[in-house]
Amino acid sequence: MTTLKEFEDALREQGMHMALAILQKLRERDRTTRTIAPARRIAGRKMTPELARQILDLHATTEMTQQEIAFQLSVNQGRVNEVIKRGKWLDDNPAAPEAVARDKAKARMSHPATARHSDKRETKAVSSSDRKRQGGKGSQQAQLLLGDL
């Protein structure tokens, strides 16, 4: 397979200046259309009944894939699937399971430190004499010490 640079060199060797000019114009066109957009997850939109209806409309009237619909509307493809397959997000009920889950996730995101550390469990150290008292049959494994090596 030839690289673009090799192709350009071959055009130059053959004296095909018109082809080189076309190639340069294509490069300039591509440079003007390039954008640096934030990741879709950051720029994602909140799911609303209006957005769900828009997803269903695009799905019914076009032959776009779920991924293409998600990209066009700046939502997650999983959300598009939920709307199409299960009819989620079609009503504005704040008690709907998906709305409750969304609100809980938003709360966790706004206070990540408290949510993570609230589930700490206490661990109790058990001595070897306590283990002997608790278990009738203990394992007969030997323990190596650092000095043994």
Side-chain angles (χ1 to χ4, degrees), residues 17-55:
H17 300 293
M18 291 297 288
L20 286 167
I22 292 171
L23 187 61
Q24 185 61 31
K25 283 194 183 263
L26 289 173
R27 281 190 179 137
E28 288 171 8
R29 184 196 66 191
D30 288 345
R31 278 191 201 114
T32 60
T33 58
R34 281 187 209 151
T35 60
I36 299 174
R40 281 181 288 144
R41 189 171 291 278
I42 293 170
R45 294 168 56 186
K46 178 181 172 182
M47 281 300 296
T48 61
E50 293 79 27
L51 187 57
R53 285 187 205 94
Q54 202 174 4
I55 289 170

Side-chain angles (χ1 to χ4, degrees), residues 60-124:
T61 59
T62 66
E63 294 197 14
M64 294 171 72
T65 64
Q66 289 182 6
Q67 188 66 42
E68 291 168 337
I69 293 171
F71 188 77
Q72 182 172 346
L73 299 177
S74 297
V75 294
N76 186 303
Q77 183 267 327
R79 296 289 170 256
V80 173
N81 186 27
E82 286 178 347
V83 170
I84 293 170
K85 301 285 185 197
R86 294 187 236 145
K88 286 188 169 187
W89 304 103
L90 290 174
D91 59 352
D92 207 6
N93 182 5
E98 58 271 13
V100 171
R102 178 197 61 215
D103 294 339
K104 282 182 182 178
K106 285 176 121 181
R108 280 194 309 268
M109 288 174 63
S110 63
H111 304 323
T114 57
R116 237 181 248 144
H117 299 297
S118 64
D119 195 28
K120 291 234 177 195
R121 296 182 188 156
E122 275 187 43
T123 56
K124 182 181 172 186

